[in-house]
């Protein structure tokens, strides 16, 4: 068992001339209040705070921390209270001791392993003084060293907690020796068989391996010396737990892990790193063609180094890291970020910077000559932006600083947020605007059917709560707007003699929605409710005539639609694919059955039939042409105008009409032009004709009339 004199010697050794009085007094106080208590090992309880103080002295902490280390269990385990400690040792010691006590009260046992990261952060956040954590680590290290006295089940729990929480924290703080010991001890209790197996295997060839390290170091040193590069060469065994992790992660047998020894070459400059790499690669064949260049591409945590694995002198895999002094320093300081990187989490720069600073502090605290300056530097807020709180079931949730119970409620579930009517913090009702603190246990009270308040937007801090509340308000607003919009539309529709309920479901409504750019009727109606669209605008769009911007096809279709509905006035022409269509005949060319014809779709006038040869038909929009044919079955007749050139004589018109009526055709109109100088006359006769054969007969008959020179069918 370590004695107080050993502790004092250590302090004096690291910090000559330090004021040891406070340590002495803490020891006496601790001995008095712990008197009669024994550890599970049977040793007096005092041995524990003494060992912790010894570890803190090894970490080169200041006398105040070591005094606090001696007192770290008195508040929790003895009759001494905080007031007494403050009176005897001052507020600084009390602050640290109560910080340790607070952490000791945290119960990690029921927290799921996946929350380890939150717990670690919470742990750090709760300690506003880094020394609290350092004492906690020393405390845990000693407890791990004496874990064998605990019951089997308790051992496993404590070991698991150590592996999940304490070892990573030690690593993050850059206190490697504590991290490695915590890991290996926890490993021993958690997986005793694996631990023993690896331990024995490492031991078997230990001498051989040490010999190997020496040989390789010598070879590397020779190469470097030949190239005039001053360097430092380190070779070290990996720890048992590191070996186990590697075997597990890469699914390897122990025998396959040759690089349980890693070499590190530390040089002066960056170019020397690459030069050294070249030397190593020319001496030993690299296994991976691509070595890892973290100098050219630093890790997110700013870690820089060259990593290569070569086939060594004894045909073994050999891992070599090459870096500068500066990079080595950064690698150590940036341990925190390195750790979170390994766990697959992105490194938060401000966090890693802080830890780098702490690392620096731990390494350089002997440089602080002024104790006040040191104090100033160790009082820090590790995670100023987060608070960590418990759910009633003991789960940890992290929230931004300033978050309220409403934020917490929305973090649990949107419905819990919506229905939140109150909150209990640490068992007491609190206002919903209360800012949560790390360590608070929050219980949300809900009421079914309760709804969020707009005012909450002013007090919530998280994005989730804000967006859920906004969303809820929006939904509410929309519902109100829809009913208002519907009312307004119904009124306007009635005015225009439209049935709202029927129109709203009609196909025309689709076009109106599209015209306004909406997908759902509700959206359109809601916008009427919001006042962005007037109901009259909706009605106007609904009854609008063919819009000019409509496509050709739809225009055509609409025209045909209307034309179809009109009563058929004439028969005799079949329009392809269309029954019951209004057909008209071009006045310009007057087609009759037997003429080859074409159809032309007109706006609102149906299909006009032209002779194919008709000049007008040829000039028309070809898109509007439609195929037509004569219907042989009808006995309709068609007007044809004929021009008859003859001598101007008495009785001519009577002869012409007799000739026409003899053939069974009706005359629809007669006109004439007289040319006196030539004594001729042109008579225009419009006759009703059945077909081209009928027309031929009529023409032949007219030609037989006396003094008729020429008969001509008139068309353009
Ligand atoms: Mn303790």
């Amino acid at each position: 068992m370590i004695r107080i004199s050993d502790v004092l010697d250590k302090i004096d050794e690291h910090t000559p001339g330090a004021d040891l009085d406070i340590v002495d007094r803490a020891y006496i106080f601790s001995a008095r209040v712990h008197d009669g208590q024994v550890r599970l090992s049977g040793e007096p309880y005092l041995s524990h705070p003494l060992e912790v103080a010894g570890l803190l002295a090894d970490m080169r902490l200041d006398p105040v921390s070591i005094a606090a280390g001696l007192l770290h269990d008195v508040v929790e385990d003895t009759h001494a209270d905080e007031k007494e400690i403050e009176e005897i040792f001052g507020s600084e010691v009390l602050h640290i001791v109560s910080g340790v006590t607070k952490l000791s009260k945290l119960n990690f046992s029921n927290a799921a392993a996946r929350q380890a990261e939150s717990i670690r952060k919470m742990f750090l956040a709760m300690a506003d003084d880094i020394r609290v954590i350092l004492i906690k680590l020393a405390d845990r290290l000693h407890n791990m060293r004496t874990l064998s006295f605990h019951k089997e089940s308790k051992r496993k729990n404590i070991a698991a907690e150590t592996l999940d929480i304490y070892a990573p924290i030690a690593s993050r703080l850059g206190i490697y020796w504590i991290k490695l010991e915590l890991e290996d001890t926890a490993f021993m209790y958690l997986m005793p068989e694996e631990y023993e197996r690896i331990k024995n295997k490492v031991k078997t060839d230990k001498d051989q391996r040490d010999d190997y390290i020496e040989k390789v170091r010598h070879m590397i040193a020779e190469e470097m010396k030949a190239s005039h590069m001053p360097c430092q060469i380190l070779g070290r065994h990996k720890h048992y737990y590191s070996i186990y992790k590697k075997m597990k992660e890469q699914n390897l047998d122990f025998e396959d892990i040759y690089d349980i020894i890693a070499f590190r070459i530390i040089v002066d400059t960056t170019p020397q790193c690459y030069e050294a790499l070249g030397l190593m690669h020319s001496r030993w064949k690299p296994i991976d063609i691509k070595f890892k260049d973290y100098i050219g591409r630093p890790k997110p945590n700013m870690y820089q180094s060259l990593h290569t694995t070569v086939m060594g002198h004894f045909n073994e895999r050999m891992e070599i890291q090459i870096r500068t002094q500066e990079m080595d320093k950064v690698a150590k300081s940036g341990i925190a970020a390195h750790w979170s990187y390994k766990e697959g989490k992105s490194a938060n720069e401000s966090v890693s910077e802080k830890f780098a600073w702490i690392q620096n502090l731990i390494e350089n605290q002997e440089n602080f000559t002024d104790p006040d300056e040191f104090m100033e530097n160790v009082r820090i807020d590790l995670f100023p932006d987060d608070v960590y709180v418990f759910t009633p079931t003991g789960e940890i949730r992290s929230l931004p600083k300033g978050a309220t119970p409403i934020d917490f409620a929305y973090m649990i579930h949107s419905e819990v947020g919506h229905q939140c009517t109150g909150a209990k913090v640490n068992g007491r009702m609190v206002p919903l605007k209360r800012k949560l603190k790390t360590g608070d246990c929050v219980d949300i009270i809900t009421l079914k059917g309760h709804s969020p308040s707009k005012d909450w937007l002013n007090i919530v801090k998280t994005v989730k709560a804000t967006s859920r509340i906004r969303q809820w308000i929006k939904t509410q607003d929309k519902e109100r707007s829809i009913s208002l919009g519907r009312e307004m539309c119904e009124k306007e529709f009635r005015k225009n003699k439209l049935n709202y309920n029927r129109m709203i479901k009609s196909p025309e409504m689709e076009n109106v929605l599209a015209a306004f750019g909406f997908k759902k009727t509700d959206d359109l109606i809601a916008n009427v409710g919001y006042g962005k669209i007037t109901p009259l605008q909706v009605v106007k769009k609904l009854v609008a005539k063919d819009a000019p911007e409509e496509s050709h096809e739809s225009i055509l279709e609409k025209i045909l639609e209307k034309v179809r509905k009109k009563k058929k006035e004439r028969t005799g022409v079949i329009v392809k694919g269309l029954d019951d269509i209004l057909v008209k005949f071009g006045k310009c060319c007057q087609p009759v059955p037997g003429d080859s014809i074409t159809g032309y779709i007109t706006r609102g006038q149906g299909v006009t039939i032209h002779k194919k040869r008709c000049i007008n038909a040829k000039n028309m929009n070809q898109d509007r042409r439609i195929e037509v044919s004569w219907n042989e079955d009808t006995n309709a007749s068609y007007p044809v105008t004929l021009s008859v050139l003859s001598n101007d004589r008495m009785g001519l018109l009577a002869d012409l009409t007799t000739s026409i009526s003899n053939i069974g055709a009706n005359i629809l109109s007669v006109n004439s032009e007289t040319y006196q100088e030539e004594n001729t006359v042109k008579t225009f006769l419009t006759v009703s004709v059945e077909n081209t054969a009928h027309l031929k007969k009529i023409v032949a008959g007219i030609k037989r009339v006396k003094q008729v020179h020429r008969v001509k069918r008139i068309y353009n």
Side-chain angles (χ1 to χ4, degrees):
M1 183 173 119
I2 191 171
R3 291 166 306 175
I4 187 64
S5 55
D6 301 328
V7 177
L8 295 172
D9 285 350
K10 279 186 193 194
I11 304 170
D12 199 46
E13 189 187 320
H14 297 313
T15 326
D19 180 10
L20 301 179
D21 177 54
I22 196 167
V23 180
D24 250 338
R25 288 190 289 125
Y27 169 72
I28 293 163
F29 184 87
S30 187
R32 181 163 62 79
V33 295
H34 283 301
D35 187 38
Q37 295 177 340
V38 286
R39 299 265 293 169
L40 286 172
S41 61
E43 283 184 299
Y45 193 90
L46 188 63
S47 63
H48 172 64
L50 264 177
E51 290 288 351
V52 169
L55 289 168
L56 295 172
D58 288 338
M59 288 154 77
R60 306 184 176 204
L61 290 192
D62 64 316
V64 168
S65 313
I66 292 166
L70 283 164
L71 299 168
H72 81 268
D73 278 333
V74 301
V75 175
E76 212 185 347
D77 295 342
T78 76
H79 55 77
D81 61 22
E82 298 196 337
K83 211 176 147 202
E84 214 177 341
I85 291 173
E86 187 169 19
E87 275 167 13
I88 304 172
F89 301 101
S91 58
E92 192 181 348
V93 170
L94 172 67
H95 185 76
I96 299 171
V97 171
S98 52
V100 176
T101 308
K102 207 162 71 180
L103 282 185
S104 305
K105 283 183 182 159
L106 280 182
N107 184 10
F108 299 135
S109 55
N110 63 354
R114 66 185 162 78
Q115 286 194 292
E117 169 66 10
S118 310
I119 297 170
R120 288 186 286 254
K121 279 191 170 175
M122 177 175 190
F123 195 91
L124 294 169
M126 280 185 76
D128 56 359
D129 191 316
I130 186 71
R131 292 174 296 180
V132 169
I133 293 166
L134 299 178
I135 291 171
K136 204 65 204 152
L137 285 174
D139 178 45
R140 177 52 58 117
L141 185 61
H142 184 242
N143 286 337
M144 286 305 286
R145 284 176 179 176
T146 54
L147 196 61
S148 61
F149 300 104
H150 277 283
K151 269 190 251 164
E152 161 85 23
S153 61
K154 206 155 183 203
R155 267 187 253 167
K156 293 229 165 176
N157 267 342
I158 294 173
E161 193 181 281
T162 300
L163 208 53
D164 279 348
I165 299 159
Y166 290 88
I169 286 174
S171 168
R172 194 179 263 203
L173 294 180
I175 314 166
Y176 257 128
W177 63 277
I178 290 186
K179 177 222 175 195
L180 293 169
E181 189 181 333
L182 287 177
E183 274 185 354
D184 273 4
T185 318
F187 178 42
M188 181 173 80
Y189 287 108
L190 283 173
M191 285 162 278
E193 282 169 31
E194 283 93 335
Y195 175 85
E196 281 303 318
R197 207 155 52 89
I198 291 173
K199 186 182 164 193
N200 288 334
K201 289 200 167 168
V202 171
K203 235 185 209 160
T204 318
D205 323 309
K206 175 124 190 349
D207 291 347
Q208 219 179 315
R209 216 171 275 115
D210 284 345
D211 194 38
Y212 164 82
I213 291 175
E214 264 324 295
K215 275 183 185 153
V216 172
R217 279 187 57 185
H218 188 69
M219 288 183 224
I220 294 174
E222 270 185 344
E223 289 289 335
M224 298 293 283
K225 203 176 167 191
S227 299
H228 308 290
M229 256 192 287
C231 68
Q232 199 187 338
I233 303 155
L234 306 167
R236 60 170 184 90
H237 281 95
K238 284 191 171 147
H239 278 68
Y240 303 147
Y241 185 64
S242 313
I243 295 170
Y244 169 77
K245 264 204 301 198
K246 184 152 195 170
M247 284 168 64
K248 218 173 158 214
E249 275 162 17
Q250 303 184 10
N251 200 17
L252 295 170
D253 287 334
F254 180 84
E255 286 69 26
D256 297 327
I257 301 185
Y258 291 100
D259 49 357
I260 59 170
I261 296 159
F263 293 93
R264 184 177 302 158
I265 306 172
I266 297 169
V267 293
D268 291 335
T269 66
T270 303
Q272 283 177 350
C273 291
Y274 290 99
E275 215 176 312
L277 182 77
L279 283 179
M280 293 304 114
H281 281 184
S282 59
R283 172 83 194 242
W284 294 296
K285 190 174 180 284
I287 287 169
D288 301 315
I289 296 164
K290 270 193 192 162
F291 65 93
K292 285 180 185 139
D293 181 359
Y294 296 119
I295 293 179
R297 298 184 56 158
K299 286 188 184 182
N301 57 26
M302 289 157 61
Y303 174 89
Q304 285 189 300
S305 189
L306 297 176
H307 289 189
T308 186
T309 305
V310 296
M311 195 59 92
H313 183 73
F314 308 99
N315 258 347
E316 81 290 15
R317 284 168 69 100
M318 197 165 89
E319 189 185 297
I320 305 173
Q321 303 174 350
I322 305 166
R323 57 177 85 141
T324 64
Q325 303 274 8
E326 196 56 41
M327 291 171 194
D328 198 46
K329 228 174 160 181
V330 171
K332 280 177 182 161
S333 313
I335 282 307
H338 183 60
W339 166 77
S340 51
Y341 178 82
K342 267 190 185 165
E343 310 242 326
K345 297 192 170 96
S346 67
N348 177 325
E349 214 172 271
S350 78
V351 170
S352 58
E353 269 170 25
K354 270 184 190 126
F355 280 109
W357 179 84
I358 294 163
Q359 166 71 20
N360 221 19
L361 183 74
I362 293 164
E363 280 177 349
N364 302 313
Q365 56 189 254
E366 56 264 49
N367 300 337
F368 288 101
T369 47
D370 179 0
D372 287 339
E373 186 192 347
F374 178 74
M375 282 314 311
E376 208 45 55
N377 282 298
V378 288
R379 282 181 192 276
I380 49 152
D381 192 357
L382 286 164
F383 289 92
D385 306 328
D386 294 319
V387 294
Y388 297 85
V389 299
F390 289 106
T391 67
T393 55
E395 283 177 61
I396 294 169
R397 292 277 192 277
S398 94
L399 290 157
K401 201 171 191 171
T404 63
I406 301 169
D407 290 297
F408 178 84
Y410 276 101
M411 179 171 265
I412 301 297
H413 196 277
S414 296
E415 279 308 303
V416 176
H418 288 341
Q419 301 181 356
C420 168
T421 58
K424 278 184 185 174
V425 168
N426 304 324
R428 272 192 211 158
M429 285 299 295
V430 297
L432 284 175
K433 64 177 185 203
R434 156 76 63 89
K435 289 182 169 65
L436 296 174
K437 288 199 298 264
T438 288
D440 280 347
C441 178
V442 189
D443 198 354
I444 297 297
I445 297 152
T446 59
L447 183 68
K448 228 185 170 149
H450 186 80
S451 48
S453 147
K454 250 180 193 171
D455 300 336
W456 288 3
L457 286 172
N458 300 323
I459 52 175
V460 294
K461 200 82 184 171
T462 56
V463 175
K464 185 172 178 182
T466 308
S467 70
R468 291 293 185 280
I469 296 167
R470 282 221 178 101
Q471 207 175 24
W472 191 87
I473 291 169
K474 232 175 145 184
T475 312
Q476 291 304 108
D477 281 357
K478 192 175 173 185
E479 275 168 27
R480 268 199 298 277
S481 300
I482 288 174
S483 67
L484 180 63
R486 187 182 300 128
E487 231 172 83
M488 292 163 75
C489 284
E490 277 173 355
K491 227 184 203 171
E492 189 65 39
F493 275 47
R494 264 201 304 278
K495 251 199 236 168
N496 288 275
K497 303 200 169 26
L498 291 167
N499 181 317
Y500 175 82
N501 286 326
R502 206 168 54 222
M503 287 313 285
I504 219 74
K505 285 176 200 140
S506 68
E508 283 91 336
M509 202 62 205
E510 299 283 320
N511 299 332
V512 176
L513 286 181
F516 282 111
F518 294 112
K519 285 208 173 106
K520 288 182 194 156
T521 316
D522 273 358
D523 294 334
L524 174 69
I525 301 306
N527 269 283
V528 173
Y530 287 137
K532 287 180 186 164
I533 297 171
T534 67
L536 185 61
Q537 278 176 294
V538 177
V539 170
K540 273 185 175 165
K541 274 271 181 331
L542 204 51
V543 298
K545 296 272 184 249
D546 316 325
E549 65 269 23
E550 278 178 286
S551 71
H552 170 71
E553 281 77 18
S554 68
I555 292 168
L556 221 55
E557 188 51 43
K558 273 189 187 155
I559 291 165
L560 289 176
E561 188 76 30
K562 282 185 184 167
V563 163
R564 270 185 206 123
K565 284 176 190 158
K566 288 205 177 172
K567 208 181 146 208
K568 187 171 79 174
E569 288 177 4
R570 290 260 204 165
T571 54
V573 168
I574 298 164
V575 179
K576 201 184 176 191
L578 298 165
D579 299 324
D580 256 10
I581 192 156
L582 174 68
V583 171
K584 282 195 168 184
F585 292 87
K587 287 197 175 93
C588 46
C589 58
Q590 297 179 324
V592 296
D595 286 331
S596 65
I597 49 172
T598 185
Y600 177 78
I601 299 163
T602 63
R603 242 175 223 247
Q605 304 288 320
V607 174
T608 307
I609 309 301
H610 293 271
K611 283 170 71 169
K612 268 190 182 158
R613 286 162 50 197
C614 172
I615 187 85
N616 285 344
K618 281 179 182 165
N619 287 339
M620 277 163 191
N621 183 345
Q622 296 304 297
D623 287 339
R624 291 196 177 196
R625 277 176 76 132
I626 191 162
E627 221 176 281
V628 292
S629 60
W630 293 107
N631 183 357
E632 310 282 325
D633 293 340
T634 58
N635 45 12
S637 55
Y638 306 89
V640 170
T641 305
L642 299 169
S643 101
V644 179
L645 185 67
S646 62
N647 287 345
D648 190 5
R649 65 167 177 93
M650 287 290 291
L652 175 72
L653 195 60
D655 288 349
L656 288 174
T657 54
T658 307
S659 145
I660 290 166
S661 54
N662 282 348
I663 297 160
N666 290 324
I667 296 169
L668 301 171
S669 68
V670 179
N671 273 306
S672 60
E673 286 171 14
T674 319
Y675 307 99
Q676 282 172 349
E677 308 97 85
E678 298 157 25
N679 191 33
T680 57
V681 64
K682 220 179 227 177
T683 310
F684 298 94
L685 296 156
T686 301
V687 293
S688 135
V689 173
E690 285 164 21
N691 51 40
T692 44
H694 189 204
L695 180 60
K696 262 185 190 164
K697 278 185 196 164
I698 294 167
V699 169
I702 292 170
K703 277 184 175 168
R704 280 198 296 270
V705 174
K706 278 176 195 163
Q707 295 184 10
V708 166
H709 305 303
R710 204 171 65 211
V711 182
K712 218 172 143 191
R713 187 176 171 185
I714 302 267
Y715 43 71
N716 299 317

